[in-house]
Amino acid sequence: MSLQNRHPGLRHRAGGASLQTAKVVQNSGSCEGPNTIGSSFQQCHAAGDCSNSETSMVFRSTGASLIANSRCGVCCFVLVILLSFATRFYNLSEPAHVCWDETHFGKMGSYYINGTFFFDVHPPLGKMLIGLAGYLSGYNGTFPFQKPGDRYEQHSYVGMRAFCAFLGSCLVPFAYLIVLELTASLPAALLAAFILIFDTGCITISQYILLDPVLMFFIMGAVLSMARFNSQKNRPFSASWWFWLAITGINLGGALGVKFVGVFVILLVGQNTACDLWRLLGDLNITMVSFGKHLLARMLCLIVAPLCLYTAFFAVHFITLNKSGPGDGFYSSAFQSRLVGNTLHNASMPEYLAYGSIITLKNVRTAGGYLHSHWHLYPEGVGAKQQQITAYTHKDHNNLWIIKKPTENIDPLGPVEFVKNGDVIRLQHRETSRNLHSHQHEAPVTKKHFQVTGYGINGTGDPNDFWRIEIVAKKSRNERVKVLRNEIKLIHMALGCVLCSTGKTLPKWGWEQLEVTCSPYQKDTPSSLWNIEEHINPKLPNISLEVLRPSFLEILLESHIVMLRGNSGLKPKDHEVTSKPWHWPINYQGLRFSGVNESDYRVYLLGNPVIWWLNLSTIGLYSFMACLASLCIQRGAEFQERVQERIDVLLQGGSQIMLGYILHYLPFYCMGRILYYHHYFPAMLFSSMLTGLTWDILLKSCDWFLSPLVARKVYIICVVSGSSALWHME
């Protein structure tokens, strides 16, 4: 349910009430905001001013603004900020060594400072910001970040931690403002804020060089700006309306620019926007021209602007990282040609493949390696005892192959003959003179594939050495094969299988290189596709690889393909603790950040069990209350105005938070990649806000069976004791 959705039985109007409310709150300057708003709402309804389709959402937004600007509201907000920053920045420099994924994201910050290209499965914004924070705080990018436990010594690392802690500290005020915006209840906002302030998991994950606080900052920023934008719906196209709409789009671009899971908050905002537009379409007071303006404004700010920002992040990423580094091998040869220091940078070679050329073949699969051979044979019992063929991820002279015709040698003085799509060829290993060969023996690791070996003497072999070369997505049989740019596959003429690099590591007898097989499954997959990287042929004119250098859009597309492949192929490291999504809400197990040895400074990421189980039980409680309220409304039940207002908050604001929780949690059950405990924290933010909203409504509902005076005392006692309990648990 969107923040704009309105049930037919829950329609009110805030028109004349806001002035009365403003007068009451401004005159009082006290903490009585919610009650005075409620009484004014009743006066408004009694006067008949709440009759048209403008709903209590606008009224609550006005109330939230008044509470936030009241003396008590300002004091509470300042207290929330101080406690949030104090808990996140406390003892920030400890431990003075690398903790958990700081080894990755700290190292990537160093790469940005040094301009060294690297590969990561996430978009670049979070790492760029961490690198910028390190640079501005005096870090010079020289610390190696080799493994957890390495001491920082004299290196300046606190600046990067402080940046993450700052963004993590902002999450609590954001949650406070979101709940206040949705409920106009100061106690509900304070309860949600205190839950996050005193949760040990939220504190820990904000204190280290990680992407999580950066991601959650943009997620919460998007939700807050969306809620603020919704409160401006009675002032369309005003400056504040445009401001909050634009800020929402910026936060969406930021969330997606940090991690791909940022798409979940995009879905949340998209659902809200779709419902808002549907409401506008049904409003007969709005012309189609005006509706078109609303539609275009949302498309501009929520689609075009985030996409432009997201693309700009990658443009900065590619411009900054222009030096060859550890990420080169994950990308195509054409991509590598743009990196300073790479062997392909400013290189020149023949553009089209010809017989007699010396080449290297690189597998398209992420880290698929180069087609490689060496003098070592397969051991006894592993297929035929012939020369090993592997995939090697580093450049080496044993990666060189000579391309020849099937049954005759190339005349070195004869004319050049180009290799065309569909030609049958023979690949001879330059170092050992063995031919690339396959036969009906099972592969060493992937038993359903055929073994690939090096066979023959000085190029003389048998018909099992013949392969047909095919350019992917090309039907013309006469098209020449281009170096770097064409993806090709090699199909064995006798067996009909296709040459592939499975990505599986061979045992020690294969020097732990990657397995190469002939797959009977001819479906085009990255494992079965290759491109020609190095090309030597003295008979052909060389061209500069500048001609073959890919455009920005091509490298942008390739980067996303490589990131998505890498993300789906993530595997746990040795002794690493992974988890399943059902482990997370119950706080089943956490993550060790530091302290393998008893003498080490120990850091363990684990949520406060009382808070996490309270959040989990509240999800069930909210679902029951929302279903009960909906059932009563469907049966035509009539409520007192104060109850009606609470049901509005429950079904409108609560459902939006609940949807945010579902979108940030349930998709992980469908993911095939490795999962960790920290993936739950964005969903935990929503569950904490839902806890504040739900318990506030539940405690206020004591006036159904208690006198107003007693109910108010019970409410105050529960709120104060709950906040005190959270304080003492910390």
Side-chain angles (χ1 to χ4, degrees), residues 106 109-110 113 134-135 137-145 155-157 160:
S110 299
I113 293 173
Y135 176 76
S137 61
Y139 173 59
N140 58 11
T142 58
F143 185 72
F145 286 97
H155 295 276
S156 177
Y157 65 97
M160 291 184 284

Side-chain angles (χ1 to χ4, degrees), residues 391-467:
Y392 189 47
T393 52
H394 302 282
K395 299 192 177 186
D396 185 86
H397 68 278
N398 278 324
N399 299 341
L400 296 174
W401 298 81
I402 304 171
I403 188 164
K404 295 194 172 185
K405 290 187 174 183
T407 56
E408 58 182 281
N409 292 321
I410 307 300
D411 183 0
L413 301 178
V416 173
E417 187 174 349
F418 291 103
V419 179
K420 298 183 178 63
N421 183 29
D423 281 2
V424 177
I425 64 169
R426 177 166 51 91
L427 284 173
Q428 180 180 318
H429 190 242
R430 187 189 186 199
E431 179 70 16
T432 63
S433 298
R434 307 286 189 187
N435 294 330
L436 186 69
H437 176 98
S438 186
H439 45 221
Q440 289 185 332
H441 290 268
E442 63 183 20
V445 179
T446 309
K447 301 300 183 181
K448 292 184 178 181
H449 291 192
F450 298 119
Q451 182 189 32
V452 176
T453 67
Y455 180 74
I457 299 174
N458 293 325
T460 302
D462 63 23
N464 282 330
D465 302 339
F466 302 156
W467 304 79

Side-chain angles (χ1 to χ4, degrees), residues 57-100:
M57 177 58 66
V58 177
F59 183 87
R60 282 203 309 278
S61 299
T62 305
S65 178
L66 292 169
I67 294 171
N69 293 326
S70 69
R71 187 187 314 155
C72 184
V74 171
C75 290
C76 290
F77 187 56
V78 171
L79 176 64
V80 165
I81 292 175
L82 290 176
L83 288 175
S84 180
F85 276 77
T87 51
R88 271 67 181 169
F89 276 83
Y90 174 74
N91 223 11
L92 188 64
S93 61
E94 293 296 333
H97 60 246
V98 178
C99 293
W100 194 51

Side-chain angles (χ1 to χ4, degrees), residues 245-497:
L245 183 62
I247 292 297
T248 304
I250 291 171
N251 281 306
L252 294 181
L256 189 61
V258 176
K259 282 188 176 184
F260 286 126
V261 292
V263 74
F264 299 150
V265 76
I266 293 177
L267 293 176
L268 178 64
V269 174
Q271 182 271 347
N272 178 80
T273 304
C275 291
D276 189 25
L277 290 172
W278 185 253
R279 177 189 61 82
L280 291 172
L281 188 61
D283 190 344
L284 299 182
N285 294 321
I286 296 178
T287 65
M288 291 306 295
V289 173
S290 179
F291 175 79
K293 292 179 180 178
H294 277 277
L295 177 62
L296 288 175
R298 286 160 175 79
M299 290 178 63
L300 175 65
C301 293
L302 301 182
I303 298 177
V304 176
L307 285 177
C308 290
L309 273 175
Y310 182 75
T311 305
F313 299 149
F314 276 91
V316 175
H317 171 74
F318 294 137
I319 292 171
T320 305
L321 304 183
N322 63 345
K323 299 176 184 175
S324 178
D328 296 15
F330 290 90
Y331 292 83
S332 69
S333 308
F335 187 102
Q336 295 179 41
S337 68
R338 51 176 293 277
L339 299 173
V340 177
N342 189 284
T343 56
L344 297 175
H345 182 69
N346 287 337
S348 60
M349 64 181 65
E351 182 178 8
Y352 294 105
L353 184 64
Y355 290 103
S357 295
I358 300 172
I359 63 171
T360 60
L361 283 167
K362 185 178 185 298
N363 190 253
V364 174
R365 181 182 179 276
T366 303
Y370 296 90
L371 186 65
H372 177 94
S373 188
H374 40 236
W375 287 104
H376 301 280
L377 307 181
Y378 286 101
E380 195 73 40
V382 181
K385 194 175 180 181
Q386 297 175 3
Q387 188 168 296
Q388 295 177 15
I389 301 291
T390 65
Y392 189 47
T393 52
H394 302 282
K395 299 192 177 186
D396 185 86
H397 68 278
N398 278 324
N399 299 341
L400 296 174
W401 298 81
I402 304 171
I403 188 164
K404 295 194 172 185
K405 290 187 174 183
T407 56
E408 58 182 281
N409 292 321
I410 307 300
D411 183 0
L413 301 178
V416 173
E417 187 174 349
F418 291 103
V419 179
K420 298 183 178 63
N421 183 29
D423 281 2
V424 177
I425 64 169
R426 177 166 51 91
L427 284 173
Q428 180 180 318
H429 190 242
R430 187 189 186 199
E431 179 70 16
T432 63
S433 298
R434 307 286 189 187
N435 294 330
L436 186 69
H437 176 98
S438 186
H439 45 221
Q440 289 185 332
H441 290 268
E442 63 183 20
V445 179
T446 309
K447 301 300 183 181
K448 292 184 178 181
H449 291 192
F450 298 119
Q451 182 189 32
V452 176
T453 67
Y455 180 74
I457 299 174
N458 293 325
T460 302
D462 63 23
N464 282 330
D465 302 339
F466 302 156
W467 304 79
R468 185 173 71 251
I469 186 168
E470 290 189 359
I471 304 174
V472 177
K474 299 292 184 181
K475 295 183 179 179
S476 173
R477 305 293 289 184
N478 296 317
E479 185 163 347
R480 296 177 182 178
V481 178
K482 283 185 179 180
V483 174
L484 295 179
R485 302 302 292 274
N486 282 153
E487 291 183 350
I488 62 172
K489 58 183 180 180
L490 294 170
I491 299 174
H492 194 262
M493 293 301 295
L495 300 177
C497 53

